Amino acid sequence: MPSQVRQLDANVAPAAVLEAGDVLWQPRGFFTIQDGERRLLSPDVLASGKNVSFDPATGHVGGSALAGELSGALRGMLARFSDESQAFLAGACPIYASRLVRGRTSFRPVEIAGRPSSWRKDDSRLHIDAFPATPVQGRRILRVFANVNPHGRPRSWRVGDSFGAVADHFAPKLRVPVAGTSALLRLLRITKTTRSPYDALMLQLHDQMKEDSAYQERAPQTAFDFPSGSAWLVFTDAVSHAAMAGQYQLEQTFLLPVDAMQQPERSPLRILEKIKARRLA
Ligand code: SIN
Ligand code: FE
């Protein structure tokens, strides 16, 4: 079944819906931009690239062009968003609460539509998320998004086929790397920790999906506009997604161990292990 976007309300069991590969959204998000933060809603906050990143563990802000008081305001907004994301996710999915590992926070102030990009970095092509530099070793990537556009503009996504269908489609072309590759990547500092066979296969899948124009056109897909002010939750390692248009978004990444899921067999790790008939992490 292709992924759907479903509203978070009293009729859904959030963790079950997320694990099944659907997106959960809430029209009125949990996060509000404060008056003093409106001046941060500009592409000028960027030094380069498309995101400002924030590490909640150290308080370090990366990729920002701001200095002084403005820089402090940006850090404050990102820290508040990060904390409120954790509370929002833990409230929606209490069974995950004690197992969530908080990762990076990002702020995306550039309009997506018309933005030039290489195919590999082009998030307007359907893809699943995989991290080149920070391997997850099988853990799930669970992300909280908030559209904070101040002009009432939506963030327009497409969501595509289930992870099982994507994996079946591309599996014949996925290659488990030869022994020694992950040690070499670590030695060369291309990765910060060891890239497991799982991480290698997920990166291949990310690239193969984006590179395959026929797949991009033919895969089952639905468009959904997340209104400004809304928030959503999604396992982006499993849900095919593409961001087509929109400006000003906040995002918080969490990692979740597979054994913290209600149904671990629905994880990309277990699905790929079944296809490849071997352990991958
Ligand atoms: C992505 O994770 O592919 C992009 C999501 C977004 O920026 O809306
Ligand atoms: Fe993505």
Side-chain angles (χ1 to χ4, degrees):
M1 262 267 280
S3 296
Q4 298 171 40
V5 181
R6 299 179 58 183
Q7 200 160 321
L8 182 60
D9 59 34
N11 301 318
V12 302
V17 170
L18 293 172
E19 290 186 16
D22 289 336
V23 180
L24 271 180
W25 78 290
Q26 186 171 279
R28 294 192 59 161
F30 58 93
F31 185 77
T32 314
I33 299 280
Q34 295 174 348
D35 285 342
E37 292 166 346
R38 284 187 206 289
R39 60 211 166 122
L40 301 170
L41 299 181
S42 159
D44 296 341
V45 303
L46 285 176
S48 62
K50 53 185 187 179
N51 299 344
V52 169
S53 77
F54 174 68
D55 182 352
T58 62
H60 180 261
V61 175
S64 151
L66 303 180
E69 193 250 333
L70 267 179
S71 158
L74 178 62
R75 179 179 297 106
M77 178 177 83
L78 294 168
R80 201 173 85 257
F81 177 76
S82 181
D83 290 347
E84 291 183 17
S85 295
Q86 170 106 24
F88 175 59
L89 178 53
C93 303
I95 58 152
Y96 296 159
S98 68
R99 308 292 308 279
L100 293 168
V101 175
R102 210 192 299 195
R104 293 300 172 102
T105 317
S106 69
F107 174 45
R108 309 174 180 198
V110 182
E111 170 58 49
I112 299 170
R115 186 177 62 191
S117 175
S118 64
W119 64 262
R120 187 175 275 121
K121 288 194 172 160
D122 184 358
D123 288 339
S124 70
R125 295 169 190 238
L126 287 166
H127 65 283
I128 49 95
D129 287 348
F131 301 146
T134 50
V136 297
Q137 265 102 19
R139 288 175 295 174
R140 304 300 315 272
I141 301 171
L142 180 49
R143 288 182 143 170
V144 179
F145 293 93
N147 178 3
V148 293
N149 188 286
H151 312 297
R153 293 229 309 278
R155 197 154 191 99
S156 303
W157 272 31
R158 291 181 290 144
V159 292
D161 219 347
S162 70
F163 188 83
V166 172
D168 283 342
H169 185 91
F170 289 100
K173 293 200 279 179
L174 300 180
R175 298 272 173 267
V176 176
V178 294
T181 312
S182 68
L184 186 64
L185 291 171
R186 181 84 199 276
L187 200 68
L188 297 172
R189 300 191 188 189
I190 293 170
T191 58
K192 293 185 182 126
T193 56
T194 303
R195 183 183 287 174
S196 65
Y198 170 75
D199 289 287
L201 293 189
M202 291 294 278
L203 283 166
Q204 290 173 34
L205 195 51
H206 168 275
D207 287 0
Q208 287 183 17
M209 290 175 78
K210 280 187 174 174
E211 205 176 6
D212 187 337
S213 303
Y215 177 79
Q216 292 289 327
E217 269 177 38
R218 286 185 211 135
Q221 50 194 280
T222 31
F224 190 87
D225 282 354
F226 296 97
S228 63
S230 68
W232 58 106
L233 299 170
V234 51
F235 279 112
T236 55
D237 54 1
V239 175
S240 315
H241 59 283
M244 309 310 293
Q247 187 175 10
Y248 305 116
Q249 165 159 275
L250 287 159
E251 171 270 332
Q252 175 65 48
T253 298
F254 294 89
L255 297 179
L256 184 75
V258 165
D259 69 2
M261 295 174 66
Q262 290 179 313
Q263 296 188 279
E265 68 277 11
R266 296 195 137 172
S267 64
L269 176 65
R270 297 285 175 253
I271 290 171
L272 290 176
E273 285 184 335
K274 205 164 164 190
I275 292 174
K276 290 292 175 192
R278 54 162 287 178
R279 281 195 63 166
L280 295 169

